[in-house]
Amino acid sequence: MARKPKQICLFKNLSSEALDYARVSFVARRRKRAGEWRGMPCVPPGSLLESVISEFHEKTNIALEIPLCTFFHYVAGALITKGSKILFQGEAIEADFWSLVLAPSGAGKTWTEKKIGKGLEGVVPVIQSGAASAAAWLQEFAENPRALWIRDEFFQFLKGIEQSGGPLADLKGYLLQSYDNSTIERKTKKDVITIEKPVLSLLGFTALQPFTDGMSPESLLDGFAQRFGFVLAMPDPARPWRNFPSWSVNSEDWAMRFNSVIEGLLPEYQASPEAEEAFLTAFKKLSGGQDLDESFFRRVMWRGHKYALVYHVIRGLAAEPELTKEDYGWAARLLEMQLADAAEVLERCSRSDISRAIDAVDEIVRRLQAAGEPITARAVLGKTRLINSSAMARFVFKVLGVEEAVQRPRKQSQLAAA
């Protein structure tokens, strides 16, 4: 006799206290989303970044973390192309950080990247690789070994490189070598591909629900995943999608202003003594407020030097060789946001099935509403493995405050056809 799915058994055995906790937890998370955008303290006033964020805020319902991270990586890409580095306590550091933006499906990730890329008129070389094998990817990277790589559907890609013996399996090793700026070499029957001192800025986008459903906390804390800065890009309740039948941003002066910002880039920058002290202060402060693995935390904080250099440029100080404590202050704000997101991603990957089911149904309901389709238990059942019964779907509807659409009785002819 077939065993019942785990989710149904768990649902039936949940105590009233557990159900109440799930409901309260969800409501608390939803309330947390309301109000002023949390990333505004990370945006220097009067900067091009502020203008970009303002355009997306006023003319789209796209989560503003998406343009924030995209623009940030374009600045890093300019630094990498120029060969600019920051010296911190005698060590030369490249601006080659990795970020993974997690957002609900249909959140405008690709649209945003294309609009910003087009608005900057190709100033920064971008690898848009869809290579089906590690060898093909390496060949593309070898043609431009100091570049920005933007990759959509990153979770599917991640599963590909984790597949032993698959065509992408070797790519994980190449990426780790590029992260360490170590020489990459691949011998083929025809020739040898060699990349000395590769520098890669990596911006990945992925749908939130498949990622948190498919990743375990152990996977997130392994050596590869630790190298990413996790950013949650959730819908803004103050900017409902119904208010934006179309998206449009004015990027006419972006390229001119961006060129002006990066015009004075120097090959080398130095952190001032005050800046070094600001970093140490931020390290001690943030380490006391986060329940994260030590190696994970240290890797996150190391990106603070790279972020400080990016902020130095965003603030219009590219021609100034010394980074200030203000640059590190801006970097600390972004680090704090990413540390909070990393903790939430870990929590989402490890929490109970009922809590994950609530979030899954919330996203499905949003998609049904956007498509103008009725919200029913039947519509939900086929769209997530976390909901296995109509009773569970209807319970989650109550948690979300969603009213199920009344289903019309099926005609006899429809029943016969079924």
Side-chain angles (χ1 to χ4, degrees):
M1 182 176 178
R3 297 175 62 186
K4 291 183 179 180
K6 178 183 177 183
Q7 287 83 357
I8 294 179
C9 296
L10 281 174
F11 174 65
K12 287 184 176 180
N13 293 330
L14 283 174
S15 66
S16 59
E17 290 81 3
L19 295 179
D20 287 340
Y21 179 78
R23 182 185 294 107
V24 170
S25 296
F26 180 84
V27 171
R29 289 200 303 274
R30 172 166 281 181
R31 285 176 178 168
K32 183 180 177 181
R33 299 172 188 167
E36 181 181 331
W37 179 52
R38 65 184 183 129
M40 212 59 215
C42 303
V43 180
S47 64
L48 174 55
L49 174 57
E50 184 184 47
S51 298
V52 171
I53 294 298
S54 178
E55 279 293 311
F56 277 86
H57 179 268
E58 294 174 8
K59 300 175 183 177
T60 79
N61 63 305
I62 294 171
L64 300 179
E65 289 84 355
I66 297 175
L68 170 67
C69 287
T70 303
F71 183 85
F72 214 76
H73 270 273
Y74 268 93
V75 177
L79 286 160
I80 288 171
T81 302
K82 179 70 175 181
S84 301
K85 303 178 183 66
I86 173 178
L87 295 179
F88 184 86
Q89 296 183 347
E91 185 166 355
I93 304 169
E94 298 272 5
D96 53 347
F97 50 87
W98 294 1
S99 304
L100 183 57
V101 180
L102 300 101
S105 299
K109 301 180 290 293
T110 303
W111 191 91
T112 298
E113 189 278 317
K114 288 182 177 179
K115 284 296 179 181
I116 292 179
K118 185 178 180 180
L120 301 183
E121 297 180 356
V123 175
V124 177
V126 179
I127 300 174
Q128 296 281 9
S129 178
S133 69
W137 181 89
L138 191 60
Q139 187 65 56
E140 292 182 32
F141 187 35
E143 295 172 2
N144 195 1
R146 298 184 68 90
L148 165 63
W149 181 30
I150 300 177
R151 173 78 191 209
D152 201 3
E153 304 297 339
F154 196 82
F155 181 55
Q156 285 73 11
F157 164 77
L158 188 61
K159 289 192 292 185
I161 68 174
E162 293 287 356
Q163 185 177 348
S164 179
L168 290 171
D170 291 341
L171 185 48
K172 183 175 182 179
Y174 298 151
L175 288 173
L176 289 172
Q177 287 174 290
S178 71
Y179 185 89
D180 295 331
N181 309 126
S182 301
T183 299
I184 305 174
E185 185 174 280
R186 181 185 179 96
K187 296 181 179 179
T188 67
K189 294 180 180 180
K190 296 181 179 180
D191 56 11
V192 177
I193 301 174
T194 303
I195 305 177
E196 296 183 1
K197 296 183 179 179
V199 183
L200 182 67
S201 177
L202 173 53
L203 173 59
F205 294 106
T206 196
L208 174 62
Q209 203 64 47
F211 185 87
T212 54
D213 284 352
M215 291 289 286
S216 67
E218 291 77 18
S219 297
L220 284 178
L221 290 174
D222 74 9
F224 185 72
Q226 282 190 18
R227 286 162 169 79
F228 287 89
F230 293 96
V231 178
L232 285 171
M234 304 304 293
D236 182 357
R239 295 152 57 228
W241 62 267
R242 293 179 181 82
N243 293 353
F244 300 89
S246 62
W247 293 334
S248 175
V249 294
N250 182 1
S251 60
E252 288 182 2
D253 67 341
W254 290 2
M256 178 190 68
R257 293 179 63 185
F258 189 79
N259 278 315
S260 177
V261 165
I262 66 174
E263 184 178 11
L265 285 180
L266 303 174
E268 192 172 278
Y269 293 87
Q270 175 77 49
S272 69
E274 293 79 13
E276 292 187 7
E277 183 63 31
F279 172 77
L280 297 176
T281 299
F283 187 97
K284 293 176 182 178
K285 174 187 174 184
L286 294 177
S287 64
Q290 302 293 335
D291 185 19
L292 289 173
D293 177 83
E294 178 185 347
S295 60
F296 193 111
F297 179 80
R298 287 186 179 279
R299 282 197 170 103
V300 171
M301 291 302 298
W302 187 248
R303 290 196 293 272
H305 306 299
K306 305 167 189 271
Y307 291 170
L309 179 54
V310 172
Y311 271 117
H312 190 72
V313 175
I314 289 175
R315 296 173 63 220
L317 303 173
E320 300 293 330
E322 191 170 72
L323 268 64
T324 67
K325 63 179 182 180
E326 287 78 16
D327 296 320
Y328 274 88
W330 285 106
R333 295 180 182 186
L334 185 58
L335 287 170
E336 187 170 16
M337 188 175 82
Q338 287 194 356
L339 283 166
D341 283 1
E344 184 165 348
V345 170
L346 283 165
E347 189 271 333
R348 283 173 176 268
C349 291
S350 61
R351 65 174 178 265
S352 68
D353 282 359
I354 183 62
S355 184
R356 295 166 66 195
I358 290 172
D359 283 339
V361 174
D362 183 41
E363 183 176 345
I364 292 169
V365 167
R366 291 174 188 272
R367 294 204 303 266
L368 291 172
Q369 290 173 333
E373 298 177 10
I375 300 170
T376 65
R378 179 179 297 170
V380 167
L381 284 174
K383 291 181 171 60
T384 175
R385 65 177 181 80
L386 296 172
I387 300 293
N388 296 74
S389 70
S390 296
M392 186 174 186
R394 292 187 177 107
F395 162 75
V396 177
F397 287 162
K398 291 181 180 179
V399 172
L400 298 175
V402 171
E403 186 174 347
E404 183 178 12
V406 177
Q407 293 180 277
R408 295 179 179 178
R410 302 175 73 185
K411 295 181 180 179
Q412 192 65 34
S413 59
Q414 292 176 313
L415 293 172

